[in-house]
Amino acid sequence: MFADLALLFSSALLAATIFPAQSELLLIAFLGKYHDQHLLLFLSATIGNILGACINWIIGVYFFYLSKNNLKMLKYKKILVKYGTPSLLFSWLPIIGDSLTLLAGYYKINFLLFLSLVALGKTARYFILIKIFN
């Protein structure tokens, strides 16, 4: 069980960074395997995914350089500017979420506000997945 939790945590962490990974499918598979451990699976996936978003925020603060030639990142910047920090509730979305968390770091959005919004969105996503596939 510990190895599977570590795998789920790692997959969720990577999925929240700029690296491609799928934690949802792994979570669903483990829900069937561990019928009585849904809370541990939920916590492992959620904490890993939130920490991955925090890594993106740190990368954004210290290393991210927004190029004017990068039209895709400019598109996500428009989302963040248009909808403000509440758009971070959607940080769980593929591609868009990663970009939003990087930009949040780049624009030095308050970390506690960032963490609160990201945690809320990611927690809700995994909670809903577990309810659907339980």
Side-chain angles (χ1 to χ4, degrees), residues 64-78 99 102-103:
F64 187 71
Y65 177 73
L66 183 62
S67 168
K68 291 184 180 180
N69 296 328
N70 191 339
L71 297 177
K72 195 176 274 190
M73 289 306 292
L74 288 175
K75 176 178 138 183
Y76 301 130
K77 175 187 173 188
K78 288 178 186 176
S99 301
L102 281 167
L103 285 168

Side-chain angles (χ1 to χ4, degrees), residues 25-101:
L25 296 176
L26 195 56
L27 173 64
I28 293 167
F30 287 156
L31 286 172
K33 184 175 180 181
Y34 301 107
H35 300 288
D36 58 341
Q37 300 296 326
H38 291 173
L39 180 60
L40 284 176
L41 294 170
F42 170 76
L43 290 173
S44 179
T46 302
I47 293 169
N49 211 242
I50 291 168
L51 286 177
C54 291
I55 290 170
N56 272 1
W57 186 87
I58 292 167
I59 290 170
V61 168
Y62 293 106
F63 302 109
F64 187 71
Y65 177 73
L66 183 62
S67 168
K68 291 184 180 180
N69 296 328
N70 191 339
L71 297 177
K72 195 176 274 190
M73 289 306 292
L74 288 175
K75 176 178 138 183
Y76 301 130
K77 175 187 173 188
K78 288 178 186 176
I79 292 171
L80 188 62
V81 169
K82 182 176 181 179
Y83 298 106
T85 52
S87 64
L88 290 169
L89 288 168
F90 298 97
S91 64
W92 57 270
L93 290 170
I95 301 169
I96 293 171
D98 300 343
S99 301
L100 289 173
T101 57

